[in-house]
Amino acid sequence: MSLALPYLQMGLQQMQIELSAEQQQKLLDYVALLLKWNSTYNLTALRQEDQMLSHHVLDSLTLLPYLDGVAQLIDVGSGGGMPGIPTAICRPDIQITLLDSNSKKTSFLSQAVIELGLSNVKVITGRVEAVEGIEFDAITSRAFAELRDFVTLTSQLLRVDGRWLAMKGVHPYEEIAQLPEDVHVAQVDKLTVPSLEAERHMVIIQKGASA
């Protein structure tokens, strides 16, 4: 018997996240897809189910408390679908776009969306600069670029009153100092991910100079 479900449930309990049995199963199915396709598409350096659950699924779910009022979200440089796919499973009410320039990875993402039945997810293959004609309430990324590049390259995609939700490791003091003057950091929160020793921070950035 797989220990994945109790491992996931313990992590969700520690993070105070309540999900239905169907949502929990979809998160496990997503990890199974990562394991299945990883050797072909090079989606993650991790190879163990428990590591994928902590480093990818639970880590992605630290985004959930920051999605109040968000109807449209884009995950830039989504790679293997983190944080976009776990978020989409937990928040079917949010329309989520997964963007990546690597066609192998977006092939996996498209397949995962079909197999997991995620009707709230759209996959785009291409560079972020080429995306036009749509604005989002929030833009997130887990490993796309330094903050300055992240903000500059995606600025045209963010609503005036929207926010960037940058998922970072250690506190990015230097990156924050190099941000353009027409944006400001609203807050930086230290995050705790069960079974993950590494530091994690959420950097929330908004348009407009700081008051």
Side-chain angles (χ1 to χ4, degrees), residues 181-186 206-211:
E181 292 182 358
D182 60 348
V183 303
H184 69 278
V185 175
Q206 295 175 323
K207 290 185 175 182
S210 57

Side-chain angles (χ1 to χ4, degrees), residues 35 116 141:
L35 286 165
L116 296 170
S141 173

